[in-house]
């Protein structure tokens, strides 16, 4: 059975970095970057947090891509901001697969530092803190939250790959 890793958390927390490392550790894997798919819309583009966004079609596309890779024998690593509503959709749609759901978190100082190290046009600045607070308020099970504030990247990756606590049951 193929594995699906859903790596989520606020902007700047390290989703992309961790996802890339996990994908490289797996012999047959597909890395799906939610930001890349979301930015495919050019005409009529609206940020995901603003009115007029295209999140509905974005999620249809992402779920179909994930399913296609899983069906063809790939382990899939997907990263993007996942809300509780979308989590329920993922849980139902991929119940036949081994799904690990990980919410990367860190403290405010660390997230702002990580965000400042991004390419300038990719920085989210205070939006990182807004999203951090959103994730703190979401009603996800505590087992899915993973504080990476003082951890090395390789330790985070190893924990995600080896720890069953993140498996959706």
């Amino acid at each position: 059975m193929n594995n699906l890793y859903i790596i989520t958390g606020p902007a700047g927390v390290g989703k992309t970095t961790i996802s890339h490392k996990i994908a490289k550790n797996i012999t047959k894997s597909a890395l799906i970057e939610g930001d890349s798919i979301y930015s495919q819309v050019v005409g009529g583009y609206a940020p995901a947090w603003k009115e007029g966004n295209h999140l509905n079609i974005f999620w249809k596309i992402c779920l179909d891509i994930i399913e296609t890779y899983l069906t063809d024998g790939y382990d899939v690593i997907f990263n993007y901001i996942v809300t509780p509503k979308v989590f329920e959709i993922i849980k139902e749609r991929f119940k036949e697969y081994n799904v690990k759901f990980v919410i990367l978190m860190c403290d405010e100082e660390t997230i702002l530092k990580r965000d400042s190290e991004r390419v300038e046009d990719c920085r989210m600045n205070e939006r990182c803190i807004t999203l951090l607070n959103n994730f703190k308020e979401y009603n996800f099970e505590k087992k899915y939250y993973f504080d990476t504030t003082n951890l090395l990247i390789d330790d985070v990756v190893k924990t995600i790959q080896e720890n069953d606590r993140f498996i959706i049951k």
Side-chain angles (χ1 to χ4, degrees):
M1 179 185 299
N2 298 98
N3 299 299
L4 169 57
Y5 294 83
I6 303 292
I7 309 297
T8 192
V13 78
K15 295 183 297 291
T16 299
T17 301
I18 298 304
S19 297
H20 274 271
K21 286 272 196 174
I22 292 171
K24 286 181 180 179
N25 286 347
I26 299 170
T27 305
K28 191 174 180 184
S29 66
L31 174 61
I32 302 168
E33 301 266 358
D35 286 339
S36 295
I37 295 170
Y38 193 83
S39 66
Q40 289 176 344
V41 168
V42 178
Y45 178 88
W49 61 91
K50 294 197 174 179
E51 192 172 322
N53 66 49
H54 50 279
L55 281 170
N56 284 339
I57 191 145
F58 163 81
W59 280 112
K60 288 178 191 176
I61 292 165
C62 290
L63 297 173
D64 286 348
I65 292 170
I66 290 169
E67 186 169 40
T68 299
Y69 278 115
L70 288 170
T71 302
D72 284 351
Y74 288 83
D75 284 352
V76 176
I77 301 85
F78 173 81
N79 70 61
Y80 195 71
I81 294 170
V82 176
T83 62
K85 179 182 173 185
V86 173
F87 172 75
E88 292 302 321
I89 293 167
I90 290 169
K91 197 163 92 170
E92 179 61 28
R93 178 134 177 205
F94 301 107
K95 63 185 171 194
E96 302 302 318
Y97 294 94
N98 184 38
V99 181
K100 286 193 174 185
F101 182 73
V102 183
I103 305 165
L104 300 176
M105 298 288 281
C106 62
D107 62 32
E108 288 186 15
E109 180 182 338
T110 303
I111 205 166
L112 289 174
K113 179 181 179 296
R114 291 175 183 173
D115 184 58
S116 73
E117 294 168 352
R118 294 170 144 185
V119 177
E120 191 171 347
D121 64 340
C122 293
R123 292 183 191 149
M124 299 291 283
N125 302 309
E126 288 302 315
R127 179 95 180 114
C128 294
I129 303 304
T130 300
L131 290 166
L132 180 67
N133 290 328
N134 287 350
F135 272 96
K136 288 177 182 177
E137 293 172 8
Y138 288 152
N139 195 25
F140 289 115
E141 288 182 56
K142 290 187 191 300
K143 72 177 190 167
Y144 299 127
Y145 287 91
F146 188 17
D147 189 332
T148 65
T149 302
N150 298 309
L151 299 176
L152 299 172
I153 293 168
D154 288 338
D155 293 334
V156 172
V157 170
K158 182 177 180 182
T159 301
I160 291 169
Q161 288 193 269
E162 295 179 2
N163 196 320
D164 288 344
R165 90 173 207 227
F166 302 112
I167 295 175
I168 296 174
K169 299 191 180 183

